[in-house]
Amino acid sequence: MEFKSEAHKDAHETARACLFERFGDVNVRLADCCFVLEEGSALVYVRTFPIGDDRAAVEVFSYVLIDVQVTEHLRQFLLSYNLRLVIGAFGLIVHNTGKGDVLLTRTLLADCLDATELCSTVSAIARIADKLDDEMVAAFGGKTALGKLTERRPPDRSSIGGPIH
């Protein structure tokens, strides 16, 4: 993996050490630039990225729904549910087909990253995504991420660009 800065490399190594220590070799896989963990029907991705030249962050995310028809009802559900979430928030990637992908995501600054916060975030995102994905498929259609993906690799996010910092 190519690192954009020393802070980016340090964040990656810290995340790697925390994840492998807490979840073990069997449960953590590396796919492209992400660590991947599976919880029930949810896949949780952990990726690091640089912020400028001397800072970095760790994003923990899960695709809750893929290929869902984007409706006003879905948008209202996601906005309302975001108010109830303590850790993380829903995001929506809308494709020009009118369909979209729903993510549950949380970003942590790497400057003060510790194993407890990272592992708690991974566990919370996994539990929430696993709990809600089947309910949301029943209510809105689409597919769970695990139901669609055969590879342990995150769907392409290049169309939405990188993080805003």
Side-chain angles (χ1 to χ4, degrees):
M1 179 171 171
E2 182 184 333
F3 299 105
K4 307 283 188 207
S5 67
E6 198 61 35
H8 182 204
K9 180 180 178 184
D10 291 345
H12 181 83
E13 291 304 316
T14 300
R16 183 184 140 324
C18 292
L19 293 170
F20 279 95
E21 182 179 318
R22 170 69 168 82
F23 299 105
D25 293 6
V26 174
N27 299 314
V28 180
R29 300 190 193 329
L30 189 58
D32 294 334
C33 63
C34 296
F35 299 101
V36 184
L37 299 93
E38 189 175 322
E39 174 71 31
S41 58
L43 295 174
V44 178
Y45 301 93
V46 179
R47 74 175 187 101
T48 58
F49 59 90
I51 301 174
D53 294 332
D54 58 353
R55 298 187 79 192
V58 178
E59 181 185 23
V60 179
F61 64 97
S62 180
Y63 283 81
V64 181
L65 288 180
I66 293 178
D67 294 332
V68 64
Q69 190 65 42
V70 177
T71 64
E72 190 61 30
H73 184 233
L74 174 64
R75 291 175 196 262
Q76 288 176 357
F77 173 85
L78 297 175
L79 286 172
S80 297
Y81 212 97
N82 275 346
L83 293 173
R84 298 172 37 205
L85 289 171
V86 176
I87 293 180
F90 282 113
L92 178 62
I93 300 171
V94 181
H95 305 288
N96 35 2
T97 61
K99 292 196 172 190
D101 303 327
V102 175
L103 292 89
L104 182 60
T105 183
R106 181 174 189 212
T107 301
L108 308 167
L109 289 175
D111 304 23
C112 51
L113 184 67
D114 66 40
T116 302
E117 183 176 22
L118 177 59
C119 292
S120 296
T121 298
V122 168
S123 295
I125 295 292
R127 277 192 315 273
I128 295 165
D130 185 44
K131 175 185 179 293
L132 291 178
D133 60 359
D134 292 324
E135 294 173 23
M136 291 176 69
V137 165
F140 302 106
K143 300 176 181 86
T144 65
L146 191 59
K148 176 160 180 169
L149 298 178
T150 55
E151 299 177 29
R152 294 194 189 303
R153 199 171 74 186
D156 182 18
R157 293 177 65 180
S158 61
S159 64
I160 62 168
I164 299 170
H165 27 240

